[in-house]
Amino acid sequence: MTKHHAYALGLLATLCLTACHSASEKQEASGVFEITNPVRKDTESTREYVCQIRAIQHIELRALESGYLQSIFVDEGQFVHRGERMFQILPSIYQADLQKAAAETSFAQIEYDNTKKLADGKVVSPNELALAKAKLQKAQAEQSLAKVHLGFTEIKAPFDGIMDRLRVRRGSLVDEGDLLSTLSDNSKMWVYFNVNESEYLDYKAQAAKGSVPTVQLVMANGKTFEHIGKVETIEADFNNETGTIAFRATFPNAEGLLRHGETGKVIMTTPLKDALLIPQKATYEIMDKKYVFVVGKDGVAHARQIVIGTELPHVFVIDRGLTVKDEILLDGLRKVRDGEKIETKHVDPNEVMAHLQSEAS
């Protein structure tokens, strides 16, 4: 073989390899892309929040009068009933004040009765009778006031509840306003948790559709409280520093397991009826706006803006922009341009969702 023939064969081999390589690259670039449809089904949105647990009534018990603490009728942690005696401040001075006021009332009553007889006989003027009546009314008012002060020496439970720690001991000298203990009504518990603005708007939108969320409480030991709660109140204003607003859920607590001041986690689950779902990986974002590629029957991919209603694990709930009949690009979004014709393979949307659920679990 001549050098000329060898050179020609080598050149031919190089051209063949180059052509084959180019064809391979072209075939790889024009690969098959998976597409699927949005799926419409009932689902639910679940979110977790750190919470604080409070009694529906939690008050401070303070002395209403000054004096020595004569008796304590309750103990720390005891359940007390409404009207039950709790503390007794030495009442001697207040009893004496009441007796004095009662005596002055009796004297004023006698004086008024005598003046009335004289006024009926026209012996004294009507003005003197009016003055005697005013003295009687003043004495009666002072007697009532003395009775109230005496009543303040006995402190009774204003509602059914559990006693907290005693801040004083029998024999202590207490002043008006001194803290004696606290009392908690734990029959129901208020659970507070903070929700950001986006989640608050989602909650209001779902509530307007009749999708009332259920609330579960996970206690500090990781166990779920047996009763379901209900969101009853949302505060009026957002906290400008944190960008959140406080929700309050009420839980029944007949067994008394929950106590004022505990912490835990709230799991709020909102049912989403007939929701339109797509995989999150089928979307891309430009300038804080979400887009998908919708592939027509002609195989041409077109970018379309969508509005997300709710974000779930690996899934978006679509508010606007798609229907179940649209076919969307499932993968390879970065390899496709708007208006480009592509070769596609349809994947059943239920299979796609089942795979995503297995990933989430």
Short mmCIF file of all heavy atoms in Angstrom, two decimals, residues 50 88 102 118 132 138 173 176 262 286 305:
data_model
loop_
_atom_site.label_atom_id
_atom_site.label_comp_id
_atom_site.label_asym_id
_atom_site.label_seq_id
_atom_site.Cartn_x
_atom_site.Cartn_y
_atom_site.Cartn_z
N VAL A 50 -44.29 25.79 66.86
CA VAL A 50 -43.99 25.77 68.29
C VAL A 50 -45.09 26.54 69.01
O VAL A 50 -45.57 27.57 68.52
CB VAL A 50 -42.61 26.41 68.56
CG1 VAL A 50 -42.33 26.48 70.05
CG2 VAL A 50 -41.52 25.63 67.85
N GLN A 88 -57.22 33.60 105.25
CA GLN A 88 -57.92 34.44 106.23
C GLN A 88 -56.91 35.38 106.87
O GLN A 88 -55.94 34.95 107.50
CB GLN A 88 -58.59 33.58 107.31
CG GLN A 88 -59.25 34.38 108.43
CD GLN A 88 -60.49 35.10 107.95
OE1 GLN A 88 -61.45 34.46 107.54
NE2 GLN A 88 -60.46 36.43 107.99
N ALA A 102 -71.90 49.77 113.13
CA ALA A 102 -73.25 49.31 113.43
C ALA A 102 -73.85 50.11 114.58
O ALA A 102 -75.05 50.46 114.56
CB ALA A 102 -73.22 47.82 113.78
N LEU A 118 -91.22 64.38 115.79
CA LEU A 118 -91.34 65.82 116.03
C LEU A 118 -91.76 66.54 114.76
O LEU A 118 -92.54 67.51 114.80
CB LEU A 118 -90.00 66.37 116.54
CG LEU A 118 -89.56 65.86 117.92
CD1 LEU A 118 -88.17 66.37 118.25
CD2 LEU A 118 -90.56 66.31 119.00
N ALA A 132 -81.45 64.70 109.66
CA ALA A 132 -81.38 63.45 110.42
C ALA A 132 -81.36 62.24 109.49
O ALA A 132 -80.65 61.25 109.72
CB ALA A 132 -82.57 63.37 111.37
N LYS A 138 -75.68 58.15 105.93
CA LYS A 138 -74.23 58.14 106.01
C LYS A 138 -73.74 57.03 106.93
O LYS A 138 -72.80 56.30 106.60
CB LYS A 138 -73.73 59.49 106.51
CG LYS A 138 -72.20 59.57 106.65
CD LYS A 138 -71.76 60.91 107.20
CE LYS A 138 -70.24 60.93 107.36
NZ LYS A 138 -69.76 62.21 107.94
N LEU A 173 -46.99 38.93 107.88
CA LEU A 173 -47.63 40.24 107.80
C LEU A 173 -47.71 40.62 106.33
O LEU A 173 -46.69 40.76 105.66
CB LEU A 173 -46.83 41.28 108.59
CG LEU A 173 -47.38 42.71 108.53
CD1 LEU A 173 -48.78 42.78 109.15
CD2 LEU A 173 -46.43 43.68 109.24
N GLU A 176 -51.69 45.33 101.68
CA GLU A 176 -52.69 45.32 100.61
C GLU A 176 -51.99 45.20 99.26
O GLU A 176 -51.07 45.96 98.94
CB GLU A 176 -53.52 46.60 100.67
CG GLU A 176 -54.58 46.69 99.60
CD GLU A 176 -55.37 47.99 99.67
OE1 GLU A 176 -55.26 48.69 100.70
OE2 GLU A 176 -56.06 48.30 98.69
N GLU A 262 -46.92 25.04 79.98
CA GLU A 262 -46.26 24.00 79.20
C GLU A 262 -45.96 24.50 77.79
O GLU A 262 -46.51 25.49 77.33
CB GLU A 262 -47.13 22.74 79.12
CG GLU A 262 -47.19 21.92 80.38
CD GLU A 262 -47.95 20.62 80.16
OE1 GLU A 262 -47.35 19.68 79.59
OE2 GLU A 262 -49.12 20.53 80.55
N ILE A 286 -38.94 32.53 37.78
CA ILE A 286 -38.31 33.72 37.21
C ILE A 286 -38.91 34.95 37.89
O ILE A 286 -40.12 35.15 37.85
CB ILE A 286 -38.54 33.82 35.68
CG1 ILE A 286 -37.94 32.60 34.96
CG2 ILE A 286 -37.93 35.10 35.14
CD1 ILE A 286 -38.20 32.60 33.47
N GLN A 305 -47.16 30.82 32.94
CA GLN A 305 -47.11 31.24 34.35
C GLN A 305 -48.26 30.58 35.12
O GLN A 305 -49.39 30.48 34.61
CB GLN A 305 -47.20 32.75 34.47
CG GLN A 305 -47.08 33.24 35.92
CD GLN A 305 -47.19 34.76 36.01
OE1 GLN A 305 -47.10 35.47 35.01
NE2 GLN A 305 -47.41 35.26 37.22
#
